[in-house]
């Protein structure tokens, strides 16, 4: 992964080279804390050990009995789905089994997907560490019922990814389902490079070893200086800009295959860093599409934003045909890749000219190795940001509050959070 922070030096807000050098002492101290956490496999920090601890052979063995299905449906939510979706969307090939994600409980969406699938040739992957996630278990019950109704033995088409104990573990043991362990000490949003994120990629035949090797390469670049580590350069710079008022981070990949990566990044950044009245709000954009919409705000709106521009340095290309249309002849003989690259650099320069801080993040290619570098690098950047901001990076108390409220409303227990729903202030306009 390559990170260019040159366009934050003169932005508004911006952070000077001198300020970065002064902050480097804090980065060194944070790196020592991170390395200590990794050495002891502490909760959260253990995620940064996944390039060494994840077992690709174990994952391949668990999914091998399913052969080459027509489709794979992952039933999970949040970190139980976004990492896997990022990998399968980025690596998608026409020959791959189709990958679908039931990561919401919208009844119309769930019904439409279930009814569209050939369930006898579909594999179901149910992902929940606790085995009690309401949305996940509800969707699984719907899928299981649909399989029963279609005369499909769901036990032959299902595997689970879960903790060592809980409802799903008991279900797997009762029905002799293949089961993968969710790794200890790894929060869901940091689990893309584990059993949680890589099982579907394994079914599709993607190279898990290259994915982990890319992550390991990025782990090797972590050091006590932001000037020696791309991940720390990004984490330290985003933190410094947030301190100076850049409280929105617009993640803008210039590759449609990385569109889901922006979704994954949004959860990682928001859930990890939004604590104690601090944090940086992630926004999702896609280049070059959103040059024609969101860029207007980023360039000319409030000076409270950082734009992160992401692209591969190499990609497949397609020539633009010659045309007789007046004013467009300059496009003939060029290519879509060259046009997209020009759009990327034009956006970067446009933001810099307006004094809007922006960071360039690049990988060699959107392949397994490149994705391993990118995902690991962003996770390490997030952990460093959390250390510098002194927040509890690996917890999510606000999320848990909402879960308890919903469970109480559904009769799953007596939770005081559910009482707050009845206290809602209303001002209805009809």
């Amino acid at each position: 992964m390559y990170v260019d922070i040159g366009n934050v030096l003169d932005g508004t807000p911006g952070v000077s080279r001198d300020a970065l050098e002064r902050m480097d002492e804090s980065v060194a101290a944070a790196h020592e804390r991170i390395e200590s956490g990794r050495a002891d496999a502490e909760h959260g920090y253990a995620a940064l050990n996944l390039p060494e601890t994840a077992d690709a052979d174990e994952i391949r063995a668990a999914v091998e009995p399913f052969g080459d299905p027509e489709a794979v449906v992952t039933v999970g939510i949040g970190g139980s789905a976004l990492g896997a979706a990022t990998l399968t969307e980025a690596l998608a090939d026409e020959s791959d089994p189709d990958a679908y994600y039931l990561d919401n409980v919208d009844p119309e969406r769930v019904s439409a997907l279930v009814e569209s699938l050939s369930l006898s040739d579909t594999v179901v992957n149910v992902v929940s560490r606790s085995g009690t996630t309401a949305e996940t278990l509800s969707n699984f019950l719907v899928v299981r019922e649909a399989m029963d109704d279609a005369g499909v033995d769901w036990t032959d088409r299902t595997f689970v990814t879960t903790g060592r104990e809980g409802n799903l573990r008991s279900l797997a043991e009762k029905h002799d389902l293949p089961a993968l362990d969710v790794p200890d000490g790894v929060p869901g949003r940091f689990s893309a490079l584990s059993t949680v994120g890589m099982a579907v990629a394994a079914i599709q035949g993607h190279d898990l070893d290259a994915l982990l090797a890319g992550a390991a390469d990025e782990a090797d670049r972590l050091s006590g200086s932001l000037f020696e580590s791309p991940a720390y350069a990004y984490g330290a710079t985003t933190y410094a800009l947030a301190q100076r008022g850049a409280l929105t981070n617009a993640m803008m990949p210039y590759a449609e295959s990385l569109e889901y990566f922006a979704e994954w990044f949004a959860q990682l950044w928001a859930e990890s860093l939004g604590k104690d009245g601090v944090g940086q709000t992630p926004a999702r954009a896609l280049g070059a599409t959103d040059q024609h919409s969101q860029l207007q705000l980023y360039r000319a709106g409030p000076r409270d934003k950082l734009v992160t521009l992401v692209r591969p340095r190499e990609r497949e290309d397609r020539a633009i045909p010659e045309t007789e249309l007046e004013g467009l002849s300059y496009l003939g003989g060029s290519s879509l890749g060259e046009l997209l690259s020009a759009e990327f650099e034009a956006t970067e320069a446009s933001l810099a000219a307006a004094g809007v801080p922006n960071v360039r993040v690049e990988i060699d290619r959107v392949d397994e190795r490149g994705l391993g570098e990118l995902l690991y690098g962003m996770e390490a950047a997030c952990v460093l940001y959390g250390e510098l901001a002194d927040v509890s990076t690996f917890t999510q108390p606000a999320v848990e509050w909402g879960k308890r409220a919903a469970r109480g409303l559904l009769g799953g227990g007596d939770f005081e959070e559910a009482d707050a729903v009845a206290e809602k202030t209303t001002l209805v306009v009809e």
Side-chain angles (χ1 to χ4, degrees), residues 14-58:
V15 54
S16 69
R17 174 68 186 247
D18 287 345
L20 290 173
E21 289 179 351
R22 290 193 299 271
M23 188 170 59
D24 214 26
E25 291 185 13
S26 298
V27 171
H31 175 63
E32 288 187 12
R33 173 68 186 100
I34 291 168
E35 289 302 290
S36 174
R38 292 181 64 191
D40 294 335
E42 293 180 36
H43 180 75
Y45 299 98
L48 298 182
N49 293 335
L50 284 172
E52 301 171 2
T53 59
D55 189 338
D57 290 334
E58 175 193 16

Side-chain angles (χ1 to χ4, degrees), residues 14 16 28 48 56 69 78 129 138-139 142 146 200 293-294 342 346 348 354 368 401:
S16 69
L48 298 182
R129 178 192 295 275
S138 297
N139 277 338
V142 170
V200 180
S293 54
Q294 297 180 36
E348 187 178 53
E368 289 90 341
W401 193 100

Side-chain angles (χ1 to χ4, degrees), residues 28 42 56-57 160 187 225 232 332 355 361 395:
E42 293 180 36
D57 290 334
V160 303
S225 172
Y232 284 174
V361 177
T395 62

Side-chain angles (χ1 to χ4, degrees), residues 78-429:
S80 295
L82 281 171
T86 297
L87 294 175
T88 58
E89 290 297 309
L91 299 171
D93 185 89
E94 289 184 0
S95 62
D96 291 341
D98 293 328
Y100 300 98
Y101 295 88
L102 282 180
D103 58 353
N104 204 344
V105 286
D106 183 318
E108 293 181 350
R109 158 67 176 159
V110 174
S111 296
L113 177 60
V114 170
E115 292 167 8
S116 72
L117 295 172
S118 173
L119 295 175
S120 61
D121 200 24
T122 296
V123 172
V124 178
N125 175 24
V126 191
V127 187
S128 169
R129 178 192 295 275
S130 66
T132 61
T133 308
E135 299 91 343
T136 299
L137 273 295
S138 297
N139 277 338
F140 171 57
L141 293 174
V142 170
V143 173
R144 188 174 73 172
E145 180 182 62
M147 285 184 154
D148 284 338
D149 291 346
V152 176
D153 186 347
W154 66 270
T155 65
D156 288 339
R157 312 300 301 164
T158 301
F159 71 101
V160 303
T161 307
T162 190
R164 301 180 191 278
E165 298 178 350
N167 292 332
L168 282 182
R169 180 63 62 176
S170 299
L171 185 76
E173 291 172 353
K174 178 179 179 180
H175 296 282
D176 197 25
L177 306 177
L180 287 166
D181 294 337
V182 174
D184 293 334
V186 178
R189 57 191 176 277
F190 287 89
S191 65
L193 298 169
S194 76
T195 51
V196 175
M198 296 195 295
V200 180
I203 291 176
Q204 292 184 328
H206 298 302
D207 190 343
L208 306 190
D209 297 304
L211 185 67
L212 293 172
D217 284 348
E218 207 57 44
D220 289 342
R221 296 186 182 101
L222 299 182
S223 75
S225 172
L226 70 92
F227 298 105
E228 297 174 0
S229 168
Y232 284 174
Y234 187 75
T237 299
T238 51
Y239 166 73
L241 287 169
Q243 291 293 99
R244 291 159 173 78
L247 296 178
T248 297
N249 186 344
M251 177 58 67
M252 193 170 186
Y254 273 69
E256 290 210 26
S257 59
L258 293 177
E259 190 169 10
Y260 241 107
F261 160 73
E263 299 268 353
W264 171 85
F265 175 85
Q267 184 196 10
L268 177 74
W269 220 245
E271 194 169 7
S272 300
L273 303 176
K275 315 278 169 61
D276 305 323
V278 301
Q280 194 177 47
T281 301
R284 290 164 281 183
L286 179 66
T289 301
D290 287 313
Q291 288 177 214
H292 298 267
S293 54
Q294 297 180 36
L295 185 59
Q296 174 66 36
L297 173 66
Y298 301 156
R299 193 176 193 274
R303 295 308 179 97
D304 60 354
K305 298 173 186 64
L306 157 70
V307 181
T308 302
L309 304 165
V310 182
R311 72 172 176 182
R313 289 183 167 183
E314 301 174 19
R315 69 176 91 216
E316 293 184 8
D317 207 349
R318 181 157 187 153
I320 300 173
E322 300 285 350
T323 179
E324 72 284 359
L325 294 175
E326 185 177 352
L328 294 179
S329 59
Y330 71 95
L331 293 174
S334 185
S335 69
L336 293 178
E338 290 171 334
L339 176 57
L340 191 58
S341 180
E343 299 270 24
F344 178 99
E345 293 172 12
T347 297
E348 187 178 53
S350 170
L351 292 166
V356 178
N358 59 93
V359 175
R360 176 191 290 205
V361 177
E362 295 177 305
I363 55 176
D364 288 327
R365 288 167 295 280
V366 180
D367 60 9
E368 289 90 341
R369 196 175 197 97
L371 284 170
E373 292 179 0
L374 183 62
L375 295 177
Y376 187 94
M378 288 298 161
E379 289 180 2
C382 181
V383 174
L384 178 74
Y385 186 129
E387 295 293 333
L388 296 174
D390 194 26
V391 300
S392 179
T393 308
F394 307 115
T395 62
Q396 50 284 331
V399 174
E400 298 304 323
W401 193 100
K403 288 181 179 179
R404 291 190 295 271
R407 186 168 180 176
L409 290 173
L410 291 169
D414 186 15
F415 296 94
E416 63 180 24
E417 290 86 354
D419 298 336
V421 177
E423 299 168 3
K424 177 188 178 300
T425 300
T426 60
L427 177 58
V428 180
V429 179

